[in-house]
Amino acid sequence: AQSVSQHNHHVILSEAASLELGCNYSYGGTVNLFWYVQYPGQHLQLLLKYFSGDPLVKGIKGFEAEFIKSKFSFNLRKPSVQWSDTAEYFCAVNARTGRRALTFGSGTRLQVQP
Amino acid sequence: NAGVTQTPKFQVLKTGQSMTLQCAQDMNHEYMSWYRQDPGMGLRLIHYSVGAGITDQGEVPNGYNVSRSTTEDFPLRLLSAAPSQTSVYFCASRLGKIAGGTDTQYFGPGTRLTVL
């Protein structure tokens, strides 16, 4: 079974600071990787996903993530955060074969101070 | 399209009561899932379905039942509510027809359940 670790539980940044949120996964086979965002009081929305090709993927709202296969990592980045990026961010993975249900990390709460 | 809809938005139960959380999608998605979200634990999969008439257990299925009689609907039943089931419940769906599982999963707005 796959598992996902997000080591940063709560991150506080000032506006215009750069962001990097860590995500590591554990699985023996080929996976798809996702980042979801949950704004306060809202449901989860997809930020970006990776399944093949260029390991640097770009998503909505200026976010990007890099897949490093050797490190089993899929870190989320943004060069300059805004107050509106305050939200909880979830990394998720599913296997390419078999059940393919999404497994989520525990989430990182990002607080951007104006 | 309405996407994924859930009812009710909020619910308070007493220990031992039963209830059904409703979930529907109008995107003709094959895959539907139920998750619970608890602080510091992310989303954990309760049950999922890969098509009408087919369901399977996720990570935390105990105390919950599901059925999938139609493509559109995937209700979650709490048989005898317990305080440990206090949580936010999210229903999700995805197309399911794309090989390799790369299709995007869409989430409903959630149901906040409190069990006293």
Side-chain angles (χ1 to χ4, degrees):
Chain A
Q2 59 260 30
S3 65
V4 180
S5 296
Q6 292 182 246
H7 304 294
N8 312 105
H9 298 296
H10 190 193
V11 173
I12 302 174
L13 295 174
S14 298
E15 276 193 312
S18 63
L19 170 72
E20 181 161 2
L21 302 183
C23 172
N24 289 89
Y25 70 93
S26 172
Y27 183 67
T30 307
V31 297
N32 304 308
L33 297 150
F34 305 81
W35 275 99
Y36 280 83
V37 61
Q38 185 179 32
Y39 297 104
Q42 296 188 25
H43 57 91
L44 279 80
Q45 304 170 44
L46 181 69
L47 266 182
L48 49 79
K49 63 181 178 180
Y50 171 82
F51 48 92
S52 67
D54 189 343
L56 183 63
V57 293
K58 295 189 184 299
I60 60 172
K61 305 186 179 187
F63 285 91
E64 63 180 32
E66 184 176 13
F67 171 53
I68 302 180
K69 189 175 181 180
S70 61
K71 295 185 178 180
F72 297 89
S73 70
F74 190 55
N75 292 354
L76 181 70
R77 300 195 292 247
K78 186 171 185 179
S80 176
V81 295
Q82 301 172 318
W83 177 80
S84 58
D85 293 324
T86 294
E88 190 153 18
Y89 293 80
F90 293 93
C91 183
V93 61
N94 71 347
R96 291 282 187 87
T97 59
R99 191 176 75 177
R100 302 206 292 265
L102 278 178
T103 298
F104 285 83
S106 57
T108 298
R109 185 174 300 276
L110 171 65
Q111 186 179 344
V112 180
Q113 296 177 332
Chain B
N1 287 350
V4 182
T5 58
Q6 291 183 239
T7 56
K9 289 187 178 179
F10 302 94
Q11 183 70 49
V12 179
L13 292 177
K14 295 181 179 178
T15 297
Q17 287 185 312
S18 63
M19 79 158 295
T20 299
L21 307 185
Q22 301 292 344
C23 174
Q25 53 87 13
D26 61 356
M27 298 175 281
N28 199 30
H29 284 176
E30 282 188 338
Y31 279 45
M32 296 186 74
S33 311
W34 275 103
Y35 294 85
R36 58 177 290 173
Q37 183 181 25
D38 302 291
M41 302 188 75
L43 281 82
R44 291 180 293 168
L45 183 66
I46 304 172
H47 286 286
Y48 68 100
S49 168
V50 300
I54 307 169
T55 63
D56 204 352
Q57 296 181 351
E59 302 171 60
V60 288
N62 292 342
Y64 307 95
N65 270 0
V66 292
S67 60
R68 184 100 179 267
S69 55
T70 67
T71 300
E72 294 79 19
D73 300 298
F74 191 44
L76 178 72
R77 296 183 189 83
L78 279 71
L79 308 172
S80 177
S84 61
Q85 294 178 305
T86 293
S87 186
V88 180
Y89 291 83
F90 287 98
C91 181
S93 76
R94 59 189 180 92
L95 186 60
K97 294 183 174 70
I98 296 177
T102 60
D103 45 330
T104 298
Q105 185 153 279
Y106 296 90
F107 286 83
T111 295
R112 186 174 293 275
L113 175 68
T114 302
V115 183
L116 303 175

